[in-house]
Amino acid sequence: MITGATSGIGLACARKFAKGGYAVILTGRNEEKLRNIENELKALQADVLTLAFDVRDRTAATAAVESLPEQWKAIDVLINNAGLALGLEPEYEGDWHDWETMIDTNIKGLLTMTRLVVPAMVERNSGHVINIGSVAGDAAYANGNVYCATKAAVKVLSDGLRIDVAHSAVRVTNLKPGLVETNFSNVRFHGDTDRAANVYRGVKPLTGDDIADVAFFAASAPEHVQIAEVLILATHQANGSTIHREL
């Protein structure tokens, strides 16, 4: 099951895991995009099921998971990918709505999906949770404040879940991408394409496929191997704020 599967890292994971032999459950808010991706993957002979809901809506998420046909209920891998950044302003000038959307999606949405899916994994003594965190969760960068805080929460929640399921064979992985060129920056800047393009100017960023490769590697490790955390950076990126650009 992959949340936020209609674009970026989520879409790349959908393609990677489907091509890797997994039956995939794809979730997202845009039903039309989900249908198009479903058709694309089914053309590759993949088993695909789509669920259209917003992870911020606990009632809708619960109904969606409970609606799964019997043969789809045993989720082996949950990729908590749904997330976003909104705005890039000093904390004292931030937008209330942007803050609430990030917190509700990046933290509460992840918690909702974890709470709905992981109990069955523990009961079966098998499963893997892969959370998509960020280098932003390691240290704040200028004007990143609330977004960085949400990704720090993803790290702590991943660590906490790993402790909570240590008695079982359930594995927990936190992936922390750096600069990845998706629609991430376009969303952050509310559709300002020029400003979004500047984020990647002068450097070769990661792609969604790069992160999907790492997620698939973690899921494919032997059962006794738990890849707890991976920081993935572009070659010319040292951390969340240090990037060498050739302009």
Side-chain angles (χ1 to χ4, degrees), residues 43-108:
L44 301 174
Q45 308 304 311
D47 290 329
V48 186
L49 181 70
T50 60
L51 299 171
F53 66 91
D54 190 331
V55 295
R56 294 177 296 173
D57 185 338
R58 188 183 306 160
T59 301
T62 301
V65 172
E66 290 179 349
S67 75
L68 288 171
E70 195 61 35
Q71 66 270 29
W72 289 87
K73 287 186 181 295
I75 296 168
D76 299 294
V77 180
L78 168 64
I79 301 181
N80 277 316
N81 166 75
L84 76 169
L86 291 171
L88 193 67
E89 302 88 18
E91 191 169 324
Y92 58 87
E93 294 177 355
D95 181 274
W96 298 98
H97 178 70
D98 285 352
W99 290 354
E100 289 169 356
T101 301
M102 286 187 284
I103 291 168
D104 288 348
T105 306
N106 301 359
I107 302 176
K108 292 182 180 179

